[in-house]
């Protein structure tokens, strides 16, 4: 029996035509019967590093009875010269989250995946304390179970006050060991109770992992890296998936 949380994540590969560029992580989000892939904005475009892919590819399970069977599903990033992803903006600037709608009709009929829904977002009446244990579900350095095409899970804890925008930005901090390739991974915590009725995905989606955070003045010889990471608040998905 496969834990549903492992089926929410997708390995994301970026391409410039047929030339492979980078590995990243993403996950599925469903709203009003529409399906979206969520990842970091810098996965689909990153001007400072001159990263300009024209398509991405995700790996999908195609046989619920045999997880070793999979296929690559290509998603163009531009149509008629215009980007098809959605990205967020707030008073502090850009938000490092991108959402791409997936055409369900184009998916394999036997495709196996799980998707978060608005029910998996944190209810305003609930509170998450600093130090709460989290999971980050993704593909660090592209590493995963290559036989069954499954992500790996890293442990993390909330390292800043959840609900406050750290330094005015739309993210909170996590304390975890992460690597390149984890960008776009879901950051989740177990429901304190059994979760909403009829929802058998017992996880709250708190954020979208973005990048490691470091101190520019750190002595690279004497000082270890902070080991802290940015996770953008997941409620941005309610804005990016509307309409």
């Amino acid at each position: 029996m496969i834990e549903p949380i492992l089926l929410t994540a997708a390995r994301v590969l970026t391409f410039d035509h047929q030339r492979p560029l980078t590995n990243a992580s993403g996950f599925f989000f469903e709203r009003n019967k529409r399906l979206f892939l969520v990842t970091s904005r810098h996965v689909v475009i990153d001007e400072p590093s001159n990263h300009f892919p024209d398509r991405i590819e995700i790996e999908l399970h195609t046989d619920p009875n045999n997880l070793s069977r999979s296929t690559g599903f290509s998603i163009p990033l531009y149509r008629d010269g215009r980007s098809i992803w959605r990205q967020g903006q707030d008073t502090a600037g850009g938000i490092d989250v991108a959402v791409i709608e997936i055409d369900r009709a184009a998916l394999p009929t036997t495709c196996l995946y799980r998707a978060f829904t608005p029910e998996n977002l944190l209810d305003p009446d609930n509170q998450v304390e600093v130090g709460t244990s989290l999971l980050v579900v993704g593909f660090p350095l592209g590493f995963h179970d290559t036989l069954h095409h499954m992500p790996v899970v890293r442990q993390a804890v909330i390292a800043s006050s959840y609900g406050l925008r750290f330094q005015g930005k739309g993210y909170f901090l996590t304390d975890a060991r992460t690597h390149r390739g984890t960008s776009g991974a879901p950051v989740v915590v177990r429901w304190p109770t059994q979760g909403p009725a009829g929802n058998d995905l017992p996880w709250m989606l708190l954020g979208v992992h973005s990048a490691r955070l470091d101190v520019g003045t750190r002595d690279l010889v004497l000082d270890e890296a902070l080991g802290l990471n940015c996770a953008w608040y997941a409620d941005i998905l309610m804005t990016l998936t509307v309409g």
Side-chain angles (χ1 to χ4, degrees), residues 84-102:
I84 66 170
W85 72 85
R86 302 179 183 183
Q87 62 188 48
Q89 191 90 7
D90 64 11
T91 56
I95 295 173
D96 191 23
V97 175
V99 169
I100 304 171
E101 186 167 4
I102 297 176

Side-chain angles (χ1 to χ4, degrees), residues 114-152:
R114 294 301 307 273
F116 296 103
T117 71
E119 287 185 330
N120 293 103
L121 299 179
L122 181 68
D123 188 303
D125 293 334
N126 291 332
Q127 185 176 3
V128 181
E129 297 178 344
V130 67
T132 295
S133 179
L134 309 170
L135 296 183
V136 182
V137 188
F139 300 83
L141 299 178
F143 183 80
H144 64 294
D145 180 344
T146 56
L147 174 61
H148 302 105
H149 313 285
M150 288 290 182
V152 296

Side-chain angles (χ1 to χ4, degrees), residues 35-226:
L35 182 64
F36 300 88
L37 176 74
V38 182
T39 189
S40 293
R41 189 260 188 189
H42 74 259
V43 170
V44 297
I45 186 171
D46 187 44
E47 296 89 341
S49 65
N50 200 33
H51 175 65
F52 298 105
D54 65 354
R55 68 181 181 93
I56 62 173
E57 189 173 293
I58 60 175
E59 192 171 26
L60 296 173
H61 291 95
T62 56
D63 187 345
N65 299 311
N66 186 350
L67 294 178
S68 67
R69 295 181 178 176
S70 70
T71 188
F73 183 77
S74 184
I75 304 173
L77 295 177
Y78 297 88
R79 185 178 297 120
D80 299 325
R82 301 183 62 181
S83 59
I84 66 170
W85 72 85
R86 302 179 183 183
Q87 62 188 48
Q89 191 90 7
D90 64 11
T91 56
I95 295 173
D96 191 23
V97 175
V99 169
I100 304 171
E101 186 167 4
I102 297 176
D103 180 6
R104 285 183 183 273
L107 293 175
T109 56
T110 57
C111 183
L112 177 66
Y113 65 89
R114 294 301 307 273
F116 296 103
T117 71
E119 287 185 330
N120 293 103
L121 299 179
L122 181 68
D123 188 303
D125 293 334
N126 291 332
Q127 185 176 3
V128 181
E129 297 178 344
V130 67
T132 295
S133 179
L134 309 170
L135 296 183
V136 182
V137 188
F139 300 83
L141 299 178
F143 183 80
H144 64 294
D145 180 344
T146 56
L147 174 61
H148 302 105
H149 313 285
M150 288 290 182
V152 296
V153 173
R154 303 304 298 256
Q155 289 188 321
V157 299
I158 293 180
S160 65
S161 179
Y162 190 86
L164 288 182
R165 294 156 53 91
F166 188 79
Q167 294 184 343
K169 304 289 187 178
Y171 57 75
F172 61 98
L173 300 187
T174 65
D175 182 353
R177 185 181 182 190
T178 60
H179 299 80
R180 288 182 298 108
T182 312
S183 297
V187 179
V188 301
V189 64
R190 273 276 186 177
W191 283 104
T193 59
Q194 66 180 14
N199 188 335
D200 64 347
L201 192 61
W203 298 90
M204 286 190 290
L205 176 63
L206 297 187
V208 182
H209 172 83
S210 174
R212 287 171 292 182
L213 188 70
D214 208 347
V215 176
T217 57
R218 178 171 66 89
D219 187 307
L220 298 180
V221 176
L222 298 178
D223 301 321
E224 293 184 6
L226 284 176

